[in-house]
mmCIF file of all heavy atoms in Angstrom:
data_model
loop_
_atom_site.group_PDB
_atom_site.id
_atom_site.type_symbol
_atom_site.label_atom_id
_atom_site.label_comp_id
_atom_site.label_asym_id
_atom_site.label_seq_id
_atom_site.Cartn_x
_atom_site.Cartn_y
_atom_site.Cartn_z
ATOM 1 N N GLY P 182 -8.744 4.739 13.095
ATOM 2 C CA GLY P 182 -9.863 5.345 13.476
ATOM 3 C C GLY P 182 -10.752 4.433 14.363
ATOM 4 O O GLY P 182 -10.451 3.233 14.635
ATOM 5 N N ASP P 183 -11.841 5.077 14.672
ATOM 6 C CA ASP P 183 -12.825 4.286 15.511
ATOM 7 C C ASP P 183 -13.713 3.433 14.593
ATOM 8 O O ASP P 183 -14.719 3.886 13.922
ATOM 9 C CB ASP P 183 -13.739 5.290 16.218
ATOM 10 C CG ASP P 183 -14.799 4.764 17.178
ATOM 11 O OD1 ASP P 183 -14.750 3.387 17.251
ATOM 12 O OD2 ASP P 183 -15.617 5.472 17.784
ATOM 13 N N VAL P 184 -13.612 2.157 14.662
ATOM 14 C CA VAL P 184 -14.223 1.201 13.789
ATOM 15 C C VAL P 184 -15.720 1.148 13.940
ATOM 16 O O VAL P 184 -16.560 1.201 13.018
ATOM 17 C CB VAL P 184 -13.768 -0.271 14.039
ATOM 18 C CG1 VAL P 184 -14.584 -1.271 13.151
ATOM 19 C CG2 VAL P 184 -12.289 -0.401 13.606
ATOM 20 N N ALA P 185 -16.213 1.421 15.279
ATOM 21 C CA ALA P 185 -17.592 1.570 15.572
ATOM 22 C C ALA P 185 -18.230 2.841 14.927
ATOM 23 O O ALA P 185 -19.515 2.811 14.671
ATOM 24 C CB ALA P 185 -17.810 1.651 17.087
ATOM 25 N N ALA P 186 -17.479 3.805 14.677
ATOM 26 C CA ALA P 186 -18.037 5.000 14.017
ATOM 27 C C ALA P 186 -18.112 4.970 12.505
ATOM 28 O O ALA P 186 -18.571 5.969 11.935
ATOM 29 C CB ALA P 186 -17.185 6.225 14.435
ATOM 30 N N ARG P 187 -17.751 3.891 11.909
ATOM 31 C CA ARG P 187 -17.828 3.772 10.435
ATOM 32 C C ARG P 187 -19.132 4.061 9.935
ATOM 33 O O ARG P 187 -20.122 3.362 10.397
ATOM 34 C CB ARG P 187 -17.261 2.446 9.957
ATOM 35 C CG ARG P 187 -15.838 2.263 10.215
ATOM 36 C CD ARG P 187 -15.223 1.026 9.536
ATOM 37 N NE ARG P 187 -16.043 -0.098 9.461
ATOM 38 C CZ ARG P 187 -15.636 -1.303 8.843
ATOM 39 N NH1 ARG P 187 -14.441 -1.385 8.285
ATOM 40 N NH2 ARG P 187 -16.436 -2.352 8.810
ATOM 41 N N ASP P 188 -19.296 4.709 8.873
ATOM 42 C CA ASP P 188 -20.557 5.055 8.176
ATOM 43 C C ASP P 188 -20.701 4.211 6.777
ATOM 44 O O ASP P 188 -21.655 4.376 6.098
ATOM 45 C CB ASP P 188 -20.790 6.497 7.969
ATOM 46 C CG ASP P 188 -19.819 7.181 7.177
ATOM 47 O OD1 ASP P 188 -18.711 6.499 6.860
ATOM 48 O OD2 ASP P 188 -19.888 8.352 6.792
ATOM 49 N N ALA P 189 -19.659 3.567 6.493
ATOM 50 C CA ALA P 189 -19.531 2.751 5.237
ATOM 51 C C ALA P 189 -18.447 1.646 5.363
ATOM 52 O O ALA P 189 -17.699 1.645 6.343
ATOM 53 C CB ALA P 189 -19.163 3.679 4.046
ATOM 54 N N ASP P 190 -18.454 0.814 4.437
ATOM 55 C CA ASP P 190 -17.510 -0.328 4.428
ATOM 56 C C ASP P 190 -16.112 0.077 3.727
ATOM 57 O O ASP P 190 -15.851 -0.211 2.628
ATOM 58 C CB ASP P 190 -17.967 -1.497 3.751
ATOM 59 C CG ASP P 190 -17.241 -2.679 4.024
ATOM 60 O OD1 ASP P 190 -16.061 -2.767 4.414
ATOM 61 O OD2 ASP P 190 -17.611 -3.909 3.553
ATOM 62 N N TYR P 191 -15.336 0.866 4.593
ATOM 63 C CA TYR P 191 -14.142 1.303 4.014
ATOM 64 C C TYR P 191 -13.109 0.341 3.644
ATOM 65 O O TYR P 191 -12.214 0.294 2.857
ATOM 66 C CB TYR P 191 -13.480 2.452 4.976
ATOM 67 C CG TYR P 191 -14.339 3.618 4.992
ATOM 68 C CD1 TYR P 191 -15.122 3.807 6.182
ATOM 69 C CD2 TYR P 191 -14.495 4.567 3.961
ATOM 70 C CE1 TYR P 191 -15.952 4.962 6.193
ATOM 71 C CE2 TYR P 191 -15.287 5.596 4.028
ATOM 72 C CZ TYR P 191 -16.038 5.900 5.291
ATOM 73 O OH TYR P 191 -16.859 6.845 5.234
ATOM 74 N N THR P 192 -13.204 -0.921 4.323
ATOM 75 C CA THR P 192 -12.305 -2.053 4.036
ATOM 76 C C THR P 192 -12.689 -2.475 2.664
ATOM 77 O O THR P 192 -11.719 -2.731 1.877
ATOM 78 C CB THR P 192 -12.651 -3.091 5.101
ATOM 79 O OG1 THR P 192 -12.360 -2.675 6.315
ATOM 80 C CG2 THR P 192 -11.759 -4.376 4.761
ATOM 81 N N ALA P 193 -13.871 -2.683 2.342
ATOM 82 C CA ALA P 193 -14.291 -3.085 0.957
ATOM 83 C C ALA P 193 -13.882 -2.012 -0.066
ATOM 84 O O ALA P 193 -13.389 -2.487 -1.259
ATOM 85 C CB ALA P 193 -15.763 -3.359 0.818
ATOM 86 N N PHE P 194 -14.056 -0.833 0.222
ATOM 87 C CA PHE P 194 -13.620 0.186 -0.711
ATOM 88 C C PHE P 194 -12.247 0.209 -0.974
ATOM 89 O O PHE P 194 -11.731 0.304 -2.104
ATOM 90 C CB PHE P 194 -13.973 1.623 -0.192
ATOM 91 C CG PHE P 194 -15.490 1.870 -0.076
ATOM 92 C CD1 PHE P 194 -16.003 2.922 0.758
ATOM 93 C CD2 PHE P 194 -16.450 1.171 -0.743
ATOM 94 C CE1 PHE P 194 -17.449 3.088 0.920
ATOM 95 C CE2 PHE P 194 -17.873 1.355 -0.610
ATOM 96 C CZ PHE P 194 -18.295 2.378 0.187
#
Side-chain angles (χ1 to χ4, degrees):
D183 181 5
V184 177
R187 293 192 321 180
D188 59 351
D190 190 351
Y191 295 105
T192 299
F194 294 159

